[in-house]
Amino acid sequence: MTPESILKTTFGYDTFRPLQREIIENVLTRRDSLAIMPTGGGKSLCYQIPALLFDGLTVVVSPLIALMKDQVEQMRAAGVPALFINSTLSPEAYNENMDYVRRGQVKLLYVAPETLLTPRILGLLSELKVDCLTIDEAHCISEWGHDFRPEYRQLADVRRRYPEAVCLALTATATPRVRTDITRSLGFKASNEFVASFNRENLFIEVAPKRDAEIQLTRFLERFKDQSGIIYCFSRRQVDELSDYLERRGYVVRPYHAGLDDDTRRRNQEAFIRDDVQIMVATIAFGMGINKPNVRFIVHFDLPKSIEGYYQEIGRAGRDGLPAHCLLLYSYGDVAKLRYFIDQKEGDERKAAVQQLDAIVRYAEDERNCRRKPLLAYFGEKFPAEKCDNCDNCNAEAPILEDITIPAQKFLSCVVRTGERFGAGHVADVLLGSKNERVLRLGHDQVSTYGIGKELTQKQWMHLARQLSQMGYLNQDGEYRTLSLTDSARAALKSRAKIFGQLQEVEERAKKKDNKKELEYNHALFALLRAKRKELADADGVPPYVIFSDRTLVEMAAYYPQSKESLLGISGVGQVKLEKFGGLFLEVIAPYCKKHKIAEKARETAPARRKKAAKSAESGLGTRTTLIGEAYNDGASVKDLMERYQVTVGTVIDHLTRYALAGSRLRNGEDFQSLTSTSPEDQQAALAAFEELGAEYLKPVFDKLGGRINYDELKILRLCHLAR
Ligand code: ADP
Ligand code: ZN
């Protein structure tokens, strides 16, 4: 057995994620290792695969008791003998599990740190061969981490008791101080550190100005029907109000915050994990202990306090590697709210909080640069490209810029006239000729720029100020975010250089076409597979993802496997799951395919898929057009295609037309004529016209027929012509 063969036969995966192979190799050669990977990076496999290759036992220490059961269930579903021992077990179950371990029937043992430190467990382990000691959430060992646990300090002693065992420490916390703390406490050699990239490619990152927050939110949610997501709010009250609001609108939601009793919290979390509830509205108290891989969206309804927290929260989306969407709603009002709380703090703590807030404000206000750059820079990582193509700024059509030289000059001068000691709000007040108390008290109604900017609104001036900072003309400093001019602003004023920007804050930024090539799949079949999964999960009392991940169901709904052999080719289907569940899912797929005349498709490997996508991009055809064209030629009817891709008849006609115009033959079978209401004589005339004038353009044919047949009808007739 090799790591690769276990990856495929037990876990059903084709390839390792970055660094997994290297870490596993290192552990197998018994070198202590520290692995730092973002949430969803695939840390678990790094000890699970060695555990199956070692003779003896692998002990996994984790502080997240709530997660242990979940992890053990996932392992057992894949056929790995795993158990956990912690304080939640009844005395009988505890003893029973001890016996299993003693008899050597277990490969993986999960324990809480305080459990591991008890004489009973230490005694048990001293009778056995421990090959690997895994320390999950290893940042808990550091007092500098956000989650210090004193018991973790004693793990170094435990480790010394098993000098033969290799030690693997895992964490998603990347700060250098925590990192050195871990390796020093555990006595590791520095050469055995593995740091994966923190870039999560599958997350779409977006920040939108917050206006009618509830309406913006419901509009966003419409795109995620039946899909899981988390909405983070600032306060408990906000959580309660928003979850009520959504509930009244028919969403299946639950609240989660520290003000609810333990039992309610646990029940709400469980319902979310089991797909009984679609949306969790929560404070940041929610998320640590959940492992749910199919969270499809994260909304920050209020501004987070720091970039670090924000990144951790959005990291809970899309652990399964499928696309997920992260939306932050930003308003300056939220900044003021946070400032109010920060002002209750003192000294260094206050200073640190102000800096963190500044960083996230700068991030949220940036409308030009790729979002990934500042986020990754925060973790000491440089994003290697100019654009990522998966954030709002990279995907926005270039905005239409206008000449804003005059207002920019007014604003910059007013910053100077008022002494470069004020924030944007005050400068705007002066420009607008406000008579508010502060303006008058400071005598700013006497400066030469007073009242010279009435052509713009307060909001527009604020927007302009943000752009001027982003362009490097203004510095924003200190806790009051006072503005001062940079050298380049002084130079620009002097040379009267033209400045371009936007005066109107854009409502919805124009988005470029989504060019991510994702696997196309049959949504109707996916829904059936999901229902089957839920039924099996409820029967077993486990979360649905223990049975199969969304990724696995998506592949089933894309390749239509109809035998156990083909099922085994699907990502996430290992030998044991195939035996346990394979037949049950085939019973869903086979009749569906029969009814809709769909044939099984060969599953392409990822590189082949990319090549094909590139090729269809070259021919100018989208993947969807190719898929629909091929499906039609495989025997699917127009009606089948409408259902399979959840599109209108017009869209199917468009795709098939494009497919045919690109040079592919269309099967001669479907009666496209049945779709038209044009008289037989006119049909004949139109077909003759297409024959004569070609099918590329409709206008010549329309004209030739004297406009008798409208364009929608002509599109159908063109397809009749192409399919002849
Ligand atoms: P982490 O602990 O780093 O947050 P997990 O170990 O929970 O991440 O893995 C996240 C998800 O990715 C899990 O659903 C896991 O099964 C899946 N996964 C891990 N490694 C691979 C791989 N090589 N190929 C496909 N999926 C993987
Ligand atoms: Zn980007």
Side-chain angles (χ1 to χ4, degrees), residues 531-542 547 581 584-585:
K532 173 53 90 185
R533 175 177 69 176
K534 179 72 178 137
E535 177 195 318
L536 296 172
D538 286 349
D540 277 0
V542 296
I547 311 274
F581 309 118
L584 297 166
F585 282 85

Side-chain angles (χ1 to χ4, degrees), residues 50-334:
L52 287 170
L53 287 164
F54 284 134
D55 289 338
L57 181 69
T58 291
V59 177
V60 184
V61 185
S62 166
L64 303 171
I65 292 187
L67 274 189
M68 277 180 204
K69 189 156 157 274
D70 192 275
Q71 275 161 330
V72 166
E73 277 164 353
Q74 291 193 56
M75 285 295 88
R76 300 189 128 189
V80 178
L83 275 184
F84 69 89
I85 298 186
N86 64 33
S87 54
T88 64
L89 290 177
S90 67
E92 296 78 46
Y94 193 104
N95 285 331
E96 205 177 48
N97 284 0
M98 295 263 297
D99 284 342
Y100 279 122
V101 176
R102 192 172 292 120
R103 289 200 297 263
Q105 289 169 326
V106 174
K107 290 255 108 185
L108 261 170
L109 172 66
Y110 290 84
V111 287
E114 60 278 6
T115 311
L116 175 65
L117 295 168
T118 58
R120 267 185 93 184
I121 298 297
L122 288 174
L124 169 70
L125 294 182
S126 64
E127 299 169 28
L128 299 163
K129 181 161 180 272
V130 178
D131 272 326
C132 176
L133 178 65
T134 296
I135 301 182
D136 205 2
E137 311 291 337
H139 56 272
C140 294
I141 211 166
S142 168
E143 288 178 66
W144 300 110
H146 48 80
D147 200 16
F148 174 57
R149 313 252 171 158
E151 319 86 62
Y152 257 66
R153 280 285 180 201
Q154 296 172 48
L155 291 179
D157 295 335
V158 175
R159 184 181 174 224
R160 254 173 259 130
R161 288 167 159 249
Y162 309 100
E164 277 88 61
V166 58
C167 188
L168 170 63
L170 302 163
T171 178
T173 305
T175 61
R177 188 137 69 164
V178 173
R179 220 187 285 178
T180 44
D181 231 18
I182 296 170
T183 49
R184 195 166 336 111
S185 313
L186 293 170
F188 284 5
K189 287 195 216 76
S191 58
N192 292 329
E193 265 182 50
F194 298 85
V195 186
S197 166
F198 271 61
N199 184 21
R200 298 277 313 279
E201 285 176 6
N202 59 323
L203 304 186
F204 185 89
I205 304 176
E206 178 179 9
V207 181
K210 180 160 153 184
R211 296 194 182 87
D212 304 309
E214 275 95 4
I215 293 169
Q216 285 174 287
L217 180 66
T218 38
R219 216 186 299 142
F220 176 82
L221 293 178
E222 274 164 24
R223 292 157 49 194
F224 294 91
K225 247 182 109 220
D226 291 334
Q227 300 190 324
S228 299
I230 306 172
I231 302 169
Y232 282 110
C233 298
F234 178 67
S235 67
R236 297 175 190 183
R237 206 188 67 197
Q238 179 77 70
V239 167
D240 290 333
E241 283 173 8
L242 190 61
S243 64
D244 283 349
Y245 174 88
L246 291 173
E247 187 150 29
R248 283 200 304 276
R249 265 153 198 78
Y251 289 94
V252 189
V253 297
R254 292 271 194 288
Y256 190 105
H257 57 66
L260 299 169
D261 61 76
D262 284 355
D263 201 42
T264 311
R265 279 213 309 256
R266 204 181 37 73
R267 253 185 298 123
N268 290 356
Q269 169 166 326
E270 191 72 14
F272 180 65
I273 286 172
R274 301 209 164 188
D275 286 349
D276 290 329
V277 154
Q278 188 204 349
I279 302 168
M280 224 39 184
V281 184
T283 59
I284 55 169
F286 180 71
M288 250 309 256
I290 69 155
N291 213 351
K292 189 176 163 64
N294 61 337
V295 175
R296 293 272 74 85
F297 62 88
I298 303 272
V299 177
H300 280 87
F301 198 70
D302 298 300
L303 187 67
K305 290 194 213 51
S306 69
I307 290 202
E308 202 179 347
Y310 168 70
Y311 202 67
Q312 199 164 37
E313 282 137 30
I314 64 174
R316 292 179 186 136
R319 281 186 189 217
D320 51 14
L322 294 175
H325 197 124
C326 310
L327 172 68
L328 162 63
L329 293 176
Y330 172 77
S331 79
Y332 206 78
D334 284 349

Side-chain angles (χ1 to χ4, degrees), residues 372-411:
R372 285 186 154 72
K373 281 201 209 166
L375 290 177
L376 291 174
Y378 202 80
F379 297 96
E381 190 178 328
K382 191 170 167 350
F383 185 64
E386 202 43 48
K387 281 176 170 280
C388 75
D389 277 342
N390 208 24
C391 76
D392 54 353
N393 288 351
C394 289
N395 269 36
E397 290 285 4
I400 299 163
L401 300 181
E402 43 191 321
D403 185 342
I404 55 164
T405 314
I406 304 283
Q409 284 172 347
K410 286 184 182 177
F411 193 90

Side-chain angles (χ1 to χ4, degrees), residues 7 13 15-17 20 38-45 291 293 319:
L7 182 71
Y13 299 140
T15 48
F16 282 108
R17 295 230 179 113
Q20 282 180 329
T39 313
K43 288 187 279 296
S44 320
L45 231 52
N291 213 351
R319 281 186 189 217

